[in-house]
Amino acid sequence: MRRLTAVPVYTPKDYPYIRELSDADDLPATWEEWQVLFEVSQAQWRGERRYDYHKVRIRPDRLKVWLDSKSLSASEDSRKLYAQELLDLRAERWLTARAAEKTARAAEEAAYAAEQEAMAKLIAQNPHAYRMATLGRWGHRYLKKAERQARSSDRRQVIGIVLIAISATLVAQYLSMLARWLGW
């Protein structure tokens, strides 16, 4: 992965406070002037394709704390260094978050695979125990009741088919007797 170069940017509201910092006199007098110069330099960077860059908003209060902790002034190089540190920190957080997501996803997949393997072993060892484990006591009772109803329903269907067959046989015999009686 190519490293992005940070480019410090400022909001119109923050610009006067940035200019008040020590050694920030290399910045233009107004934000509008800075914006024009920034857009020209951006067009030049795109045209030359020197490097990939990313805009990083600089907040004056945080910049001042960072400058004081490093004993630096608000020069152009210091502002660029601060912006680069912010960008690198964001990139590191992003990569850490992606790695954590991948680890969590892998753990979920491993747990699911282990659960599936345990279920397969349980089914192979004892199908009744599997039903009890998956359905629970009341679910198992319901399943047993449904199985009994299905068996009785099957019996009813068989009885119905037998009755239809008997009826058809009787009707055939009756028609045969009627045909003999009529002399057909």
Side-chain angles (χ1 to χ4, degrees):
M1 184 169 110
R2 290 191 305 194
R3 183 174 184 217
L4 289 175
T5 300
V7 177
V9 295
Y10 317 100
T11 63
K13 182 181 96 174
D14 291 340
Y15 193 78
Y17 299 110
I18 297 282
R19 289 233 343 117
E20 289 176 5
L21 297 173
S22 65
D23 243 5
D25 50 357
D26 58 345
L27 289 169
T30 65
W31 180 84
E32 289 77 15
E33 292 174 32
W34 172 84
Q35 181 69 18
V36 169
L37 291 173
F38 179 73
E39 288 175 6
V40 168
S41 64
Q42 248 186 331
Q44 181 183 4
W45 291 332
R46 277 192 298 263
E48 294 176 5
R49 296 182 184 198
R50 284 193 289 175
Y51 51 81
D52 292 333
Y53 64 92
H54 187 76
K55 298 176 193 174
V56 178
R57 178 182 171 198
I58 303 299
R59 296 175 187 225
D61 52 344
R62 294 180 184 171
L63 174 62
K64 179 154 179 35
V65 170
W66 182 82
L67 290 170
D68 291 344
S69 71
K70 305 269 186 194
S71 300
L72 296 171
S73 62
S75 67
E76 181 180 2
D77 291 335
S78 298
R79 294 189 308 268
K80 285 181 180 179
L81 181 63
Y82 174 67
Q84 190 65 50
E85 280 188 20
L86 286 178
L87 183 62
D88 291 345
L89 183 63
R90 288 179 195 161
E92 187 177 321
R93 284 184 195 152
W94 184 83
L95 290 172
T96 303
R98 295 302 154 261
E101 285 177 10
K102 284 182 181 179
T103 303
R105 200 173 313 120
E108 287 175 8
E109 289 172 0
Y112 181 74
E115 181 181 328
Q116 293 300 315
E117 185 178 334
M119 284 296 208
K121 286 180 182 177
L122 183 63
I123 291 169
Q125 292 171 355
N126 187 351
H128 177 71
Y130 166 72
R131 281 193 295 206
M132 287 300 290
T134 55
L135 298 174
R137 181 173 156 205
W138 296 109
H140 180 68
R141 285 184 179 176
Y142 176 77
L143 182 63
K144 284 291 189 186
K145 183 178 178 184
E147 287 173 353
R148 280 194 305 273
Q149 286 175 347
R151 281 195 300 269
S152 68
S153 175
D154 289 344
R155 281 189 219 124
R156 285 188 203 125
Q157 286 178 349
V158 169
I159 291 170
I161 291 170
V162 168
L163 288 176
I164 290 172
I166 292 171
S167 299
T169 306
L170 290 174
V171 167
Q173 288 175 354
Y174 177 73
L175 288 175
S176 153
M177 284 179 12
L178 185 63
R180 270 186 267 140
W181 183 70
L182 291 173
W184 288 338

